[in-house]
Amino acid sequence: MTAPHVISAVHIPHARVRVKTTAWPTGGSRCGRVDPGDTVYRSEPDAGEAMSEPTDDPPQADQAPGGLLRARDIIAQGRVVVLAGAGLLRCAGIQPPEAPGGLWDRHDPLRCAVPAALDQTPRDAWRAFGEYLSEARRASRRIGGPSAAHRALWSLERRGLLRGVMSLSTAGLVRASGVEQVAEFFGAIDRLRCRDCRVKLDAPDDAERRWLAGEPPRCHACGGRLRPDMVLFEEAMPRVPRARGAQWAYGARTLLILGANVRKPPMRNIPLEVRQEGGHVVALGDVDAAMLKRVRGLWIKGDLNDTLPSLIAEL
Ligand SMILES: [Zn+2]
């Protein structure tokens, strides 16, 4: 596959409907059932949105060191909830799967990243999952954590300033870095669930080798078919992590956005809700400048591996 991809969300507020995705780069289409209120993710050709730089600088945008000092004062007050996206994953040297050069640029999503692929082309799908798990485990086994930014998040929690991290990545690296309060909105590649008995488990130690060989794993409890416990294209975002994130965000003193795209629902509403409840919004790295302007947020540009440790260091 050569066309770059971006995940786009379609919010379904009304009665039970049938969603048809028609924008597959190969010309195919797929259908899926969704419930009212679900957010459905589909693949479509990227117009450059996912990687584009924000063009509309908010007036509150600030550069270190002045911005860092202001952000440090805000974060020192505690009750921080973090929304972490692709920018944090890149800190660990991993391209997000849907970005150019990412996993779904190297493997055909129609053969690997849609629910039907689990039955129709399982060897292709599990090889791709194995490659992603291998990338994620390499990063998580790094001495000192996946990256300096991940280590700084862990430190923020240890100091009692963090309510929790809403992670938009499926690599599982925030959890792997030792942060305890993590809500993975799209699941994670290192977790499995049984399609037959619904049991959930961690990917075993030999998973990389077996998956890379195209070997679909079987459930230890019922012998049934396992699948990664993460959202594939055409699937709805699970409700439990979203609800957990909403609990943290309600009454948070600060929303700290780390390289996360919040242009799509339900993430789009989180900064507004925190702001309406009287909280602050601080954004680090590449984020949506227009959103930040709306919520009068503080923006600190630059490499998250530099800015986040600097922010945390002197708290
Ligand atoms: Zn089972």
Side-chain angles (χ1 to χ4, degrees):
M1 191 188 74
T2 53
H5 271 65
V6 60
I7 291 177
S8 76
V10 186
H11 190 62
I12 311 295
H14 44 76
R16 200 168 179 83
V17 293
R18 195 162 179 83
V19 171
K20 187 175 185 181
T21 60
T22 55
W24 293 90
T26 51
S29 67
R30 293 289 187 279
C31 296
R33 277 281 183 197
V34 295
D35 293 326
D38 278 350
T39 303
V40 177
Y41 290 82
R42 66 179 182 181
S43 171
E44 64 182 19
D46 182 10
E49 181 189 35
M51 300 296 289
S52 66
E53 289 290 326
T55 53
D56 183 15
D57 282 6
Q60 292 78 23
D62 210 340
Q63 297 288 328
L68 269 181
L69 292 174
R70 285 169 57 198
R72 197 175 283 153
D73 284 346
I74 292 169
I75 286 172
Q77 296 169 28
R79 294 205 334 246
V80 176
V81 60
V82 170
L83 182 59
L88 184 64
L89 183 61
R90 289 195 178 98
C91 284
I94 299 179
Q95 274 297 322
E98 68 279 5
L103 189 70
W104 305 135
D105 213 6
R106 304 192 297 270
H107 296 267
D108 183 352
L110 289 172
R111 297 181 66 84
C112 307
V114 293
L118 296 169
D119 295 318
Q120 291 169 3
T121 47
R123 293 180 68 81
D124 288 355
W126 285 99
R127 278 195 201 102
F129 298 148
E131 199 175 303
Y132 190 28
L133 180 68
S134 182
E135 274 186 309
R137 281 190 167 167
R138 253 199 320 275
S140 65
R141 286 170 182 155
R142 238 168 249 152
I143 294 170
S147 74
H150 285 84
R151 198 158 53 248
L153 266 187
W154 173 82
S155 174
L156 191 67
E157 186 177 59
R158 294 275 292 181
R159 291 172 205 208
L161 299 172
L162 180 68
R163 279 187 155 186
V165 178
M166 299 177 273
S167 175
L168 306 184
S169 159
T170 49
L173 295 188
V174 176
R175 180 168 32 85
S177 65
V179 176
E180 291 179 6
Q181 299 300 318
V182 186
E184 292 168 322
F185 276 23
F186 298 94
I189 187 65
D190 63 341
R191 299 275 299 156
L192 294 165
R193 74 169 184 266
C194 180
R195 297 165 66 194
D196 298 305
C197 75
R198 317 303 291 173
V199 72
K200 293 192 178 190
L201 62 152
D202 291 330
D205 290 343
D206 63 353
E208 289 160 73
R209 180 178 58 77
R210 289 178 178 275
W211 298 4
L212 283 167
E215 193 181 311
R218 307 299 294 190
C219 174
H220 62 82
C222 75
R225 303 158 301 164
L226 293 172
R227 57 158 289 171
D229 192 22
M230 69 176 191
V231 175
L232 300 176
F233 290 124
E234 303 174 352
E235 293 184 317
M237 180 188 284
R239 290 187 175 85
V240 171
R242 264 174 69 182
R244 214 169 159 216
Q247 275 184 343
W248 291 331
Y250 185 76
R253 192 179 298 275
T254 302
L255 173 67
L256 180 60
I257 302 175
L258 303 178
N261 176 353
V262 293
R263 275 169 281 194
K264 311 269 168 55
M267 284 71 77
R268 188 171 60 193
N269 301 328
I270 297 171
L272 290 169
E273 287 165 2
V274 168
R275 192 71 184 140
Q276 281 164 3
E277 294 293 323
H280 300 278
V281 177
V282 177
L284 270 61
D286 190 8
V287 296
D288 178 6
M291 172 280 300
L292 209 53
K293 190 175 182 178
R294 278 198 301 279
V295 298
R296 304 178 57 78
L298 175 65
W299 189 12
I300 297 163
K301 300 178 188 177
D303 187 335
L304 280 175
N305 271 330
D306 297 326
T307 53
L308 190 57
S310 300
L311 193 62
I312 308 300
E314 293 175 29
L315 288 176

